Amino acid sequence: MREYLLRRLSLLTFMLFALSIFTFSLSYLFPGELLTNLSGLTNSNYTSTQLLEAKYKLNESLLQQYIAFLGRITHGDWGISLSSGENVFEHIRILFPATIELCVYALITSVVIGIPCGIISAVYHRRWPDNLISSVTMLGFSIPIFWLALLLIMTFCLTLGWFPMSGRIGLLFEIDAVTNFMLLDILLADFPYHGLAFQDALHHLALPTIVLAMYPTTVLIRFTRDSMLHVLEQNFIKTARAKGLSQAQLIIHHALRNALLPVIKQIGLQFSTLITLAMITEVIFSWPGVGRWLIDSIYQRDYPAIQGGLLAVSMFVILANMTAELSHSLLDPISRNKAHGKI
Amino acid sequence: MQLLDIRNLTIELKTADSVIRAVDRINLSLKEGEVHALVGESGSGKSLIAKAIVGALNNRWTVTADRMHWQGVDLMRLSPEKRRKIVSKDIAMIYQEPSLCLDPTANIEDQIAESIPDEFLKDVSIFSRRSARKHRVIALLHKVGIRDHEKVMSSYPHELSEGICQKVMIAMAIARNPKLLIADEPTTALETTTRAQVFRLLKSLNQLKNMSVLMISHELEEIADWSHTMHVLYCGQMVEAGPTASLFNLPLHPYTQALVKSMPDFEQGITHKEALYALKGTIPPLAHLPIGCRLGPRCPQAQKACVVTPIVERSHGHAYACHFPLIKGK
């Protein structure tokens, strides 16, 4: 097991290394002045240019520059945003939790809804629950999420007025940012309208979460259903049935564990799609997350911000994938002993 | 006492344009403590019969029978839930690919422990039930000839050899003290030495515990010397049934005769590179079954009358379905 973890970690280091090289090369590949791309400072005078050149080691070899880059990344100096003039890392630190919050809630929703639905659909294969779930899934799978978001806004915000249209929390409440996770911050904050603020935050979360959860939910339903159907056809299920286990025991003890193993892997793979979808959702619901910020930065040709945002998002996706992979191997006795790490 | 009594068991598969009768009106009866062999080429419907008895066939197949009595209770008339209870209490089955029949994500201890019914631990207090169950698992493993129980119990199926997996399957099967053990080609995936061990194990279970065994095999020589009665199947039709000894010594059906002849007898002295006897042709696929006696096209004795399905005839505890049986003087 320890050897396996070591292999995994070495693979992770390697992937992060490749990622850092890519990010490093971005500032050379982006159009515009190299020094501006690196520092985010425009119109600098001669002395400051000299200072910056010394800082970024522009007169030395590429290797030296890369090492300097790594040093800066680890110290939290990710350059200065061209549009806001503030530290990129500071931006990410404030904005990323909002995105993670949204993604995690969406993922929890999709797991909570998707896996039971998939199981029901497999157990009642080709009967009405399966038909119902499968057709609704097909519908949800094929609906573009920006359209779904607009439809939901139209019905629930504009017509019915049940949910707010944008933002993370109403303007009435002022929450001190401690962790930058809204719900956590509300719980940590010490002020009289605790419950109301929490409720308000949940109200704000509802629509973006539904929109974002739609795609992963449908994928999980389909995947769980197929995996479950496959497992139920296996010989060991027949044997277990012959052992005298009831249908419920059979599904809980044998079918579920085997069917969910590939699903765990799938959840990890969904993370990259989820982040992409989160960007769209954030733009539509004016959610102050890293996705919306990244898209704005792209519009504004804010190269240091794009570089930093990409690095942060890709790092997050890699780590999420790794976590899913690790938990899969912890639960699956067959892959636990696999000698080599895999991406 | 009659344990199992089946009349006219028919198993059909509905396809888009026709109904294929994979098993055609089989009669089977089994006494307590008897070893009954079901013999036939692959594709003759042996496994289907076994699965139909335990109710493990999937919905694609339709099973009909005039009666399928288990100790006087007609299984066909019970609800699936009741039937499952009766069958799992008294009948156990082992399969030909043991490693595929074990849950890959559970260790062996859990899987065997699960097959020990709660009733067996009734007189143990709730607190010591766990350890009692474990002791029973160890005892079962010893019984099937696994000495290194610690290691096997903590292993997962993919870490064990096929032979050990099959022994584990047998341990699981005998955990409930079943009255009947159905062994569906249990030794196909095994090596010769393990094969002998498994047979010896089954034989001793039969002799010591008076457990009936329904042995399904396509290898005649291996079960010939320890089965009491035998059923020969061809293409889902019963060919001949009766006590093993008389079936071997005096086969009445041309197919049985061909089977017996096809066993190479090395004591007789076979010359170098001599062709072994085999019936010409191959078993037809399910989609193209001949009418009448299904052996017809391959049968050395076939005549015009064979296009009509022969009626089962009985003489001296020996049943055969042939228009032209190999009886001297007839």
Side-chain angles (χ1 to χ4, degrees):
Chain A
M1 195 65 212
R2 204 174 59 209
E3 197 181 341
Y4 175 81
L5 277 178
L6 271 178
R7 281 175 196 282
R8 277 292 124 126
L9 280 180
S10 69
L11 184 67
L12 180 68
T13 335
F14 196 74
M15 275 158 79
L16 289 180
F17 171 69
L19 181 65
S20 73
I21 287 188
F22 175 69
T23 322
F24 172 67
S25 64
L26 273 183
S27 34
Y28 296 84
L29 298 173
F30 278 141
E33 190 99 2
L34 174 61
L35 207 53
T36 318
N37 289 348
L38 281 170
S39 65
L41 294 174
T42 43
N43 307 325
S44 52
N45 55 24
Y46 180 73
T47 35
S48 59
T49 308
Q50 291 295 317
L51 276 175
L52 285 176
E53 272 182 0
K55 182 184 171 194
Y56 295 117
K57 306 196 170 160
L58 284 192
N59 298 324
E60 291 176 45
S61 71
L62 269 180
L63 186 67
Q64 290 289 336
Q65 291 179 35
Y66 174 67
I67 291 168
F69 166 78
L70 280 188
R72 272 178 284 129
I73 290 290
T74 43
H75 284 103
D77 175 12
W78 291 29
I80 287 165
S81 165
L82 287 176
S83 55
S84 71
E86 279 171 44
N87 195 338
V88 171
F89 187 69
E90 202 53 33
H91 272 298
I92 290 172
R93 206 178 58 79
I94 292 171
L95 295 173
F96 215 165
T99 305
I100 295 180
E101 201 174 22
L102 190 60
C103 287
V104 166
Y105 296 144
L107 205 60
I108 290 174
T109 316
S110 62
V111 167
V112 166
I113 297 175
I115 289 178
C117 279
I119 293 168
I120 290 172
S121 166
V123 172
Y124 294 96
H125 185 48
R126 297 225 173 117
R127 275 178 278 169
W128 70 263
D130 180 31
N131 293 338
L132 181 74
I133 291 174
S134 295
S135 31
V136 172
T137 307
M138 201 59 215
L139 204 68
F141 188 69
S142 41
I143 215 168
I145 74 154
F146 58 86
W147 190 53
L148 176 71
L150 295 181
L151 281 183
L152 289 184
I153 287 179
M154 223 167 75
T155 29
F156 292 106
C157 306
L158 301 178
T159 316
L160 296 170
W162 290 355
F163 295 106
M165 209 162 81
S166 64
R168 292 176 85 182
I169 192 157
L171 296 171
L172 288 173
F173 305 99
E174 205 180 310
I175 313 292
D176 297 329
V178 185
T179 58
N180 287 312
F181 290 95
M182 189 49 83
L183 295 186
L184 269 180
D185 277 351
I186 292 172
L187 289 178
L188 289 174
D190 191 26
F191 73 111
Y193 301 108
H194 230 138
L196 280 177
F198 199 79
Q199 220 173 1
D200 193 54
L202 281 184
H203 256 102
H204 277 86
L205 257 174
L207 286 188
T209 309
I210 292 173
V211 168
L212 189 53
M214 186 53 90
Y215 180 77
T217 310
T218 51
V219 170
L220 276 188
I221 290 178
R222 289 158 63 124
F223 208 81
T224 314
R225 176 174 177 268
D226 290 352
S227 159
M228 194 77 182
L229 282 178
H230 173 74
V231 168
L232 285 177
E233 278 288 297
Q234 299 294 307
N235 278 335
F236 65 86
I237 292 292
K238 283 178 195 146
T239 323
R241 195 173 280 148
K243 260 198 253 178
L245 303 184
S246 67
Q247 183 79 5
Q249 274 177 315
L250 198 73
I251 286 167
I252 294 167
H253 289 298
H254 294 289
L256 209 54
R257 190 165 32 185
N258 284 289
L260 288 189
L261 280 175
V263 176
I264 291 174
K265 238 180 193 169
Q266 192 64 23
I267 292 174
L269 290 178
Q270 285 306 311
F271 244 98
S272 50
T273 324
L274 204 63
I275 292 272
T276 319
L277 294 177
M279 291 184 184
I280 302 170
T281 317
E282 282 172 9
V283 170
I284 294 172
F285 288 96
S286 318
W287 189 265
V290 80
R292 192 170 70 120
W293 174 71
L294 200 54
I295 288 178
D296 284 345
S297 311
I298 292 171
Y299 278 130
Q300 292 160 356
R301 305 281 190 278
D302 187 348
Y303 299 122
I306 297 174
Q307 198 183 16
L310 283 181
L311 182 64
V313 169
S314 346
M315 222 140 75
F316 178 66
V317 170
I318 289 178
L319 285 177
N321 263 335
M322 229 9 137
T323 321
E325 188 81 15
L326 273 181
S327 48
H328 175 264
S329 328
L330 278 180
L331 294 173
D332 184 11
I334 295 177
S335 70
R336 213 178 287 164
N337 296 334
K338 285 245 172 77
H340 300 285
K342 238 183 349 187
I343 298 175
Chain B
M1 198 184 108
Q2 205 86 308
L3 266 189
L4 190 67
D5 181 19
I6 299 176
R7 280 285 152 259
N8 289 341
L9 173 69
T10 303
I11 303 174
E12 286 166 329
L13 179 69
K14 280 202 177 66
T15 57
D17 39 50
S18 66
V19 176
I20 295 170
R21 193 173 269 200
V23 171
D24 189 15
R25 282 170 295 162
I26 298 283
N27 302 330
L28 187 79
S29 59
L30 215 123
K31 290 189 197 67
E32 214 171 323
E34 188 179 59
V35 178
H36 192 104
L38 219 53
V39 179
E41 287 169 74
S42 23
S44 55
K46 302 164 301 205
S47 298
L48 284 177
I49 296 174
K51 283 179 185 158
I53 294 171
V54 294
L57 280 179
N58 54 23
N59 299 335
R60 288 194 288 271
W61 301 91
T62 35
V63 180
T64 47
D66 289 352
R67 65 167 189 258
M68 192 193 273
H69 281 196
W70 171 256
Q71 296 187 300
V73 183
D74 195 344
L75 294 177
M76 299 298 283
R77 284 167 213 273
L78 294 178
S79 70
E81 190 60 18
K82 260 191 186 157
R83 178 176 172 166
R84 188 183 60 78
K85 269 195 186 130
I86 290 185
V87 166
S88 64
K89 187 168 157 278
D90 290 336
I91 305 180
M93 189 159 168
I94 54 178
Y95 301 83
Q96 44 179 318
E97 280 157 327
S99 59
L100 293 181
C101 295
L102 292 166
D103 185 341
T105 56
N107 64 18
I108 300 297
E109 181 184 353
D110 288 347
Q111 299 199 44
I112 300 181
E114 191 181 56
S115 41
I116 300 170
D118 290 332
E119 297 95 68
F120 284 20
L121 302 165
K122 243 181 196 158
D123 39 334
V124 186
S125 79
I126 291 194
F127 303 104
S128 53
R129 203 163 273 190
R130 227 185 121 76
S131 68
R133 211 174 260 273
K134 189 169 179 178
H135 282 303
R136 208 168 257 271
V137 171
I138 294 174
L140 280 170
L141 284 178
H142 286 173
K143 205 175 276 176
V144 296
I146 294 175
R147 257 177 250 144
D148 192 4
H149 60 259
E150 265 326 311
K151 192 165 163 242
V152 169
M153 266 159 67
S154 59
S155 303
Y156 289 92
H158 68 275
E159 296 165 343
L160 302 173
S161 70
E162 288 281 332
I164 294 185
C165 280
Q166 189 60 280
K167 286 178 188 168
V168 168
M169 286 294 298
I170 297 175
M172 275 165 36
I174 60 175
R176 289 172 179 268
N177 290 337
K179 294 200 174 70
L180 170 65
L181 179 72
I182 302 177
D184 185 0
E185 307 197 21
T187 54
T188 319
L190 308 185
E191 305 155 31
T192 327
T193 43
T194 6
R195 192 177 285 197
Q197 281 175 7
V198 167
F199 276 129
R200 224 166 23 233
L201 180 62
L202 290 178
K203 207 195 267 182
S204 72
L205 282 171
N206 167 250
Q207 284 163 354
L208 301 175
K209 299 211 145 195
N210 202 28
M211 188 172 73
S212 311
V213 179
L214 179 62
M215 186 77 197
I216 297 171
S217 179
H218 59 255
E219 283 164 85
L220 217 50
E221 49 267 58
E222 289 195 316
I223 42 172
D225 54 335
W226 62 287
S227 65
H228 304 122
T229 49
M230 186 176 273
H231 237 87
V232 183
L233 296 177
Y234 180 80
C235 262
Q237 279 180 333
M238 200 274 279
V239 164
E240 193 166 356
T244 309
S246 76
L247 217 67
F248 265 80
N249 298 333
L250 205 81
L252 295 180
H253 196 283
Y255 184 68
T256 322
Q257 190 193 34
L259 273 185
V260 174
K261 258 194 190 167
S262 70
M263 287 164 53
D265 191 350
F266 295 103
E267 282 170 14
Q268 293 288 321
I270 301 173
T271 53
H272 182 60
K273 290 204 174 177
E274 187 186 299
L276 298 177
Y277 178 81
L279 209 56
K280 284 206 169 54
T282 50
I283 194 162
L286 273 183
H288 303 287
L289 290 174
I291 54 161
C293 176
R294 288 179 179 173
L295 185 64
R298 292 175 76 186
C299 184
Q301 316 272 338
Q303 295 181 31
K304 201 175 174 187
C306 293
V307 294
V308 181
T309 313
I311 305 158
V312 178
E313 284 179 65
R314 279 179 186 78
S315 71
H316 309 293
H318 203 121
Y320 57 92
C322 186
H323 293 291
F324 308 102
L326 311 161
I327 299 172
K328 285 193 184 98
K330 193 171 176 180

